[in-house]
Amino acid sequence: MHHQEKPPEDNLTEPMEFVLLGFADMPHLQWFLFGLFLIIYIIILMSNGTIFLITKIDPALQSPMYFFLSNFSFLEICYVSATLPKMLMNLGTQRKRISLVACATQMCFALMFGGTECLLLAVMAYDRYVAICNPLHYPLVMNHSVCTQLVTGSWTIGIPVMTELTYQIFSLPFCGSKQINHFFCDNLTILRLACGDTFVNEMLLYIVVVLFGMIPFLLIFGSYSKIISIILRLPSATSRAKAFSTCSSHLMVVVVFFGSAIVTYLRPNTRHSDGTDKVNSLFYTILIPMFNPMIYSLRNKDLIMALRKLLCK
C-alpha cells in the first residue's frame, strides 16, 4: 500500500515540534549527566545568589563596582535558567520534544541574556577604567544615577533586537529534520534546520553579534589597554599590584566568555559543527556562570570579609 504524502500546506498547519537531542550520543551517561548538571545548577544558584545578597545588604559593598557585580550575578542566574532547567528535564524524563513556541521563547531569552552579559561586561570595564585612570572624578562620574542608567540600558536595549531576530528565524520554513543536535534552541543550529534561504537571517545574526559582541569587546579592549598603560606607569610594585587586583578578575571573565563566544559565532561556516558548537556553548552558558563567583570572590578581600560576616550571623 502506498501512503500519500501530505502536501506542504498541510504540514505547515500542523503544530510544529522540535526534538532536542542534547547528549543522545551518550545514552549510558544520561543519569550521570543529569546529576552532574543538577549539581552545577545548584552551585550556580547558590554562589551567584550569595554574591547578589551580600552586595545588597553589606554596607561596605555599596560602591559602583559591587552594584554592577550584583547585577552581573543576578544576570548569570537568569542566563543559566533560560537553558539548564529544560536540559535537566530532558535528561531526567527522556522526553526531548519542545514546541516551536517554547523553542522560540528559550532562544529569545538566551539571546537577550547573552547580549545583556556582553553589555554589562563592557559597563564594568568602563567602571574600572574611570576608577583607575580618573580616580579623583570617579565619585562624580560614576554616581548612582549614571550607574542605574548604564545597568538599565544593558538589560533593556537588547529586548527589541533579540525579539525581532528570533521572530525572523522562526518565520523560516522547517520542512526537513526537526532534530536539534544541541542541548537548547541555539540560533545557529536552528538556522541549519531551515529549508528556505537563510542568507538574510544569517546576515542579521552576524550584525547582532557585531553590535552586542564585537563592539562591547572592542570597548573593553580599549579600556584595558588604557588601564594597563596607567598601571605600568605607577611608581611602586605594591601600587601596581593593588591597582591590577581590582580588575584582574573581571579581565579573566571577559577573556573566557568572549573567547568561547567568538569561537562559536565568528568561525567560517565551513568549520561549524554541532559537536563543537555544543562544547563551546557549555562554556559560556553553564561553566562560566559557575566559575564566575569563584573568580570574583577568591581575589576580593572585601567580598570574603562580607561572606564571613554573613556566615557568622
Side-chain angles (χ1 to χ4, degrees):
M1 183 184 292
H2 295 286
H3 295 281
Q4 188 176 0
E5 285 191 17
K6 293 181 181 179
E9 297 94 307
D10 292 344
N11 287 339
L12 292 175
T13 60
E14 291 179 353
M16 179 80 75
E17 280 190 333
F18 294 100
V19 178
L20 281 168
L21 294 179
F23 302 95
D25 53 340
M26 295 181 280
H28 302 299
L29 294 176
Q30 297 296 294
W31 283 107
F32 170 77
L33 291 172
F34 174 81
L36 176 65
F37 287 120
L38 179 61
I39 292 169
I40 288 174
Y41 189 42
I42 292 169
I43 290 171
I44 290 170
L45 294 178
M46 291 183 65
S47 56
N48 283 285
T50 300
I51 288 181
F52 177 78
L53 179 65
I54 61 176
T55 51
K56 290 297 182 185
I57 64 174
D58 195 291
L61 303 179
Q62 300 308 306
S63 65
M65 181 175 78
Y66 294 110
F67 174 69
F68 295 133
L69 182 57
S70 69
N71 274 273
F72 187 72
S73 296
F74 180 68
L75 172 62
E76 294 288 56
I77 293 173
C78 296
Y79 193 18
V80 171
S81 297
T83 57
L84 199 45
K86 177 61 179 172
M87 183 175 74
L88 288 171
M89 190 175 75
N90 290 350
L91 286 168
T93 64
Q94 294 301 303
R95 289 195 291 270
K96 300 179 183 296
R97 292 187 177 274
I98 183 170
S99 69
L100 183 142
V101 173
C103 192
T105 303
Q106 186 187 58
M107 180 193 289
C108 188
F109 277 106
L111 285 169
M112 284 193 295
F113 294 139
T116 300
E117 182 147 346
C118 293
L119 296 174
L120 198 52
L121 285 170
V123 167
M124 294 168 79
Y126 175 68
D127 171 68
R128 292 298 84 209
Y129 165 77
V130 177
I132 292 172
C133 301
N134 201 0
L136 295 178
H137 293 92
Y138 180 69
L140 181 65
V141 175
M142 300 304 291
N143 60 64
H144 183 70
S145 175
V146 170
C147 292
T148 304
Q149 289 171 16
L150 288 170
V151 166
T152 303
S154 299
W155 277 95
T156 59
I157 198 170
I159 293 175
V161 178
M162 302 309 182
T163 304
E164 177 62 22
L165 177 62
T166 304
Y167 173 78
Q168 291 298 330
I169 290 174
F170 282 91
S171 296
L172 291 166
F174 298 96
C175 48
S177 171
K178 305 297 189 301
Q179 293 188 339
I180 303 171
N181 190 12
H182 215 297
F183 59 88
F184 75 101
C185 292
D186 177 62
N187 42 70
L188 289 173
T189 312
I190 296 291
L191 278 174
R192 290 191 205 114
L193 298 181
C195 54
D197 183 11
T198 62
F199 176 76
V200 174
N201 300 83
E202 287 175 8
M203 287 302 101
L204 283 172
L205 177 60
Y206 284 119
I207 289 169
V208 169
V209 169
V210 169
L211 290 175
F212 288 86
M214 287 307 297
I215 291 177
F217 178 74
L218 291 174
L219 291 172
I220 293 168
F221 181 79
S223 297
Y224 274 105
S225 298
K226 186 68 175 173
I227 287 170
I228 291 169
S229 69
I230 292 290
I231 290 175
L232 292 177
R233 292 205 298 266
L234 293 174
S236 67
T238 305
S239 57
R240 287 195 295 271
K242 186 178 179 181
F244 190 70
S245 67
T246 64
C247 58
S248 58
S249 300
H250 177 258
L251 185 58
M252 200 182 305
V253 170
V254 165
V255 169
V256 179
F257 177 79
F258 278 98
S260 56
I262 287 170
V263 167
T264 300
Y265 286 100
L266 296 184
R267 281 180 300 156
N269 249 352
T270 53
R271 297 183 63 186
H272 274 286
S273 71
D274 291 333
T276 308
D277 288 347
K278 206 186 296 184
V279 172
N280 288 332
S281 298
L282 275 175
F283 267 95
Y284 65 82
T285 60
I286 295 174
L287 296 181
I288 293 175
M290 181 178 71
F291 288 116
N292 279 350
M294 302 177 202
I295 293 171
Y296 277 107
S297 59
L298 289 176
R299 298 182 61 86
N300 191 306
K301 292 178 181 178
D302 293 333
L303 271 178
I304 293 171
M305 287 296 296
L307 183 59
R308 282 176 181 168
K309 282 194 288 183
L310 181 68
L311 294 174
C312 290
K313 282 184 178 179

